[in-house]
């Protein structure tokens, strides 16, 4: 039986309610595929109800003093910290994140993001513009209106804050759909929002199927903007569906992050950083360093350290404090990740580590061993397609020119990293990488103040920082005849 505190209904207009259809779907524990709780599944009628509630809430919420909106977000951040252990356990149970990561990263980052945008609410402002004599011109930054937000299952807790915090700080109302397989932490956040004083209707949380609730949010004529995180294929569908009412669209899509190790890098730091880049969260990260690009002079020395490190990662129950890597989030996804081992071998690639599910106690869960493959060419599928698991593709290069050709040789452009002690090379490569984010002698750093997003097939728009506030507002120019 689920713990009584696990919320499993839709959150509409400040209340937990069943879906109109009465439909539910069991969310599973990926450690052993046992059901955690049956969760209500939103349909079109529920989306309509949520939009109506958001419409009712919008006039008051959008005109509330920005500092008061901010205060609610600050209180929410405090509540997230106060309930941090419960949230961490819920996230680990539902997604498979190791509890040490949920405690150390997901929960504090979620609180930090709400706190950052709580502080931002009354600091994001318009401008006065010098125009012709006899006129005063100024701009207002107005909220967009009702915003649809659709997020995937890899970081459900953190994504509630990345998506909702700037939208709320700017005065928008929200209809959010978490992924159907990981709705639990988002529902708990909705409950904490009510406790923090968020008025009913400002945030509505609708677990449901992407093809039903997600698609309808994208199509809905009264939703002014859609912010989406997920696969590039679904991103395209969102763009098409949102054309009807010309929604503003923000897309955070897939990636195939190049992580480049030059011959002059600090090898130990690069080995450790590269393991973090790909294996954190079981590799289920859009910014994962999934293409490990090694200068041919140091490739062997690097792999001599990297492969034993990959093999030493402790897999186990995510609720065990000693676990370093948990299960993937679903059995279906585990099969997809493992299918890429065959793809690699079919292309003449070499399996250097992992490539299978562990046996024993973990056989019932969605586990995959840390997997390292060496590809023949950067044009191979394993070097081009997002695997989204603990699966890294090794490529080698001869010189900087070839490194750039390989690094920029995919349609994606999200996270990227490089390891070198040459300052000039570092900045030159950072400039030339086709990517939304570059980490130098590091990988996968995020902060609520630093813009996050991609280029090319990785999407458009930015989360975090002032850029996120621009995404969630529109400019009105006011002319005064003086
Ligand atoms: P998707 O299948 O695209 O699902 C993402 C979300 O979209 C889920 O909530 C899904 O609902 C929903 N959805 C599915 N079909 C839809 C439709 N026709 N209309 C509207 N919504 C729909 O992605 P995924 O496989 O779960 O997530 C992994 C992907 O997300 C990877 O490609 C990863 O790179 C990307 N990602 C990107 C970023 C950034 S910031 N760029 C961050 C994290 C992840 P259901 O799951 O309920 O079907």
């Amino acid at each position: 039986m689920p713990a009584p505190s696990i919320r499993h209904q839709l959150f509409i207009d400040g209340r937990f309610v069943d879906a109109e259809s009465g439909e539910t779907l069991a969310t599973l524990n990926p450690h052993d595929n046992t059901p955690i709780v049956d969760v209500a599944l939103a349909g079109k009628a529920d989306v309509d109800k949520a939009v109506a509630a958001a419409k009712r809430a919008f006039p008051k919420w959008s005109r509330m003093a920005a500092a008061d909106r901010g205060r609610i977000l600050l209180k929410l951040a405090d509540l997230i910290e106060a309930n941090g252990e419960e949230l961490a356990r819920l996230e680990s149970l539902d997604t498979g994140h190791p509890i040490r990561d949920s405690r150390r990263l997901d929960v504090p980052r979620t609180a930090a993001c709400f706190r950052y945008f709580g502080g931002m609410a009354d600091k994001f402002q318009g401008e006065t513009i010098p125009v012709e004599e006899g006129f005063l011109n100024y701009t207002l930054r107005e909220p967009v209106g009702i915003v649809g937000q659709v997020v995937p299952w890899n970081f459900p807790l953190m994504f509630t804050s990345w998506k909702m915090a700037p939208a709320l700080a700017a005065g928008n109302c929200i209809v959010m759909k978490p992924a159907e397989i990981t709705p639990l932490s988002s529902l708990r956040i909705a409950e904490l929002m009510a406790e923090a004083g968020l008025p009913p209707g400002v945030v509505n949380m609708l677990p449901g199927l992407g093809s039903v609730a997600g698609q309808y949010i994208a199509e809905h004529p009264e939703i002014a903007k859609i912010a989406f995180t997920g696969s590039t294929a679904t991103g395209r569908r969102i763009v098409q569906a949102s054309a009807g009412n010309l929604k503003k669209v923000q897309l955070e899509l897939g990636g195939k992050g190049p992580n480049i190790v030059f011959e002059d890098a600090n090898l130990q730091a690069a080995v450790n950083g590269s393991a973090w880049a790909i294996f954190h969260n079981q590799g289920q990260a859009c910014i994962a360093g999934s293409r490990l690009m090694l200068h041919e002079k140091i490739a062997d020395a690097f792999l001599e350290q990297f492969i034993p490190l990959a093999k030493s990662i402790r897999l186990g129950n995510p609720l065990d404090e000693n676990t370093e890597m948990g299960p993937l989030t679903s059995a279906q996804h585990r099969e997809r990740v493992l299918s890429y081992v065959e793809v690699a071998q079919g292309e003449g690639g070499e399996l250097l580590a992992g490539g299978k599910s562990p046996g024993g106690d973990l056989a019932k869960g969605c586990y995959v061993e840390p997997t390292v493959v060496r590809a023949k060419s950067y044009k191979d599928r394993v070097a081009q397609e997002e695997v989204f698991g603990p699966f890294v593709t090794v490529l080698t290069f001869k010189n900087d020119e070839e490194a750039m050709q390989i690094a920029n040789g995919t349609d994606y452009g999200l996270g990227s990293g490089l390891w070198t002690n040459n300052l000039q090379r570092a900045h030159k490569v950072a400039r030339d990488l086709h990517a939304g984010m570059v980490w130098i002698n590091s990988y996968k750093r995020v902060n609520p103040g630093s813009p996050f997003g991609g280029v090319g097939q990785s999407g458009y728009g930015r989360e975090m920082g002032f850029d996120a506030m621009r995404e969630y507002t529109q400019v009105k120019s006011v002319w005064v005849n003086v």
Side-chain angles (χ1 to χ4, degrees), residues 71-399:
R71 197 170 301 136
I72 292 173
L73 296 184
L74 295 172
K75 178 144 186 231
L76 175 64
D78 291 343
L79 283 173
I80 288 168
E81 281 169 352
N83 293 276
E85 180 58 20
E86 180 205 340
L87 281 166
R89 294 185 77 79
L90 200 55
E91 189 75 339
S92 291
L93 187 70
D94 207 16
T95 65
H97 292 199
I99 187 77
R100 54 160 74 177
D101 289 350
S102 303
R103 282 184 186 135
R104 189 171 54 97
L105 298 171
D106 301 70
V107 170
R109 284 178 173 177
T110 303
C113 185
F114 279 116
R115 189 165 285 129
Y116 175 86
F117 285 104
M120 173 78 89
D122 61 352
K123 292 163 196 74
F124 191 68
Q125 56 203 21
E127 297 171 321
T128 54
I129 297 146
V131 290
E132 57 265 40
E133 201 183 336
F135 286 92
L136 166 67
N137 180 239
Y138 64 90
T139 58
L140 297 173
R141 279 272 168 189
E142 298 184 333
V144 178
I146 301 172
V147 173
Q149 301 184 325
V150 176
V151 290
W153 42 261
N154 57 333
F155 289 101
L157 177 63
M158 238 167 57
F159 287 158
T160 59
S161 64
W162 289 24
K163 287 263 181 288
M164 293 203 285
L168 293 173
N172 299 281
C173 291
I174 296 173
V175 177
M176 176 180 264
K177 191 199 88 62
E180 80 213 34
I181 61 171
T182 57
L184 300 184
S185 56
S186 312
L187 289 170
R188 180 70 178 119
I189 290 288
E191 188 174 32
L192 290 176
M193 284 178 154
E195 199 178 325
L198 199 78
V202 174
V203 164
N204 303 277
M205 190 65 73
L206 302 184
L209 301 180
S211 54
V212 180
Q215 178 79 20
Y216 190 48
I217 287 172
E219 287 167 2
H220 205 288
E222 293 182 285
I223 294 181
K225 169 185 166 130
I226 182 151
F228 171 75
T229 296
S231 62
T232 299
T234 307
R236 284 202 189 91
R237 255 175 252 133
I238 298 259
V239 172
Q240 284 165 353
S242 61
N245 70 330
L246 295 178
K247 273 186 194 64
K248 192 171 175 178
V249 182
Q250 182 180 353
L251 300 174
E252 308 290 348
L253 308 176
K256 191 74 179 173
N259 177 32
I260 314 167
V261 185
F262 289 97
E263 72 282 12
D264 63 347
N266 174 334
L267 210 60
Q268 188 62 58
V271 165
N272 292 338
S274 302
W276 162 256
I278 183 61
F279 296 126
H280 165 239
N281 200 32
Q282 296 75 252
Q284 301 170 127
C286 52
I287 54 175
S290 52
R291 286 185 295 156
L292 177 55
M293 296 175 45
L294 306 175
H295 190 284
E296 60 181 21
K297 274 194 197 150
I298 49 98
D300 288 345
F302 184 99
L303 291 172
E304 266 168 37
Q305 294 186 43
F306 184 77
I307 289 171
L309 179 60
K311 287 182 175 166
S312 75
I313 293 173
R314 279 193 303 274
L315 270 67
N317 188 338
L319 292 174
D320 181 340
E321 304 206 357
N322 293 315
T323 293
E324 292 174 329
M325 208 169 99
L328 301 191
T329 301
S330 71
Q332 192 190 6
H333 188 53
R334 177 193 56 200
E335 296 317 309
R336 183 176 178 275
V337 169
L338 288 173
S339 75
Y340 273 94
V341 177
E342 279 171 38
V343 171
Q345 289 170 329
E347 292 172 327
E350 191 186 350
L351 182 64
L352 303 177
K356 57 182 177 22
S357 291
D361 289 350
L362 304 184
K364 275 189 285 174
C366 308
Y367 294 86
V368 172
E369 290 178 1
T371 299
V372 185
V373 300
R374 193 201 300 260
K376 274 191 142 169
S377 159
Y378 78 92
K379 294 185 177 161
D380 289 347
R381 282 182 61 197
V382 279
Q384 290 288 327
E385 296 175 16
E386 188 181 43
V387 180
F388 215 60
F391 184 110
V392 66
T393 300
V394 177
L395 298 160
T396 53
F397 61 90
K398 289 187 177 54
N399 52 39

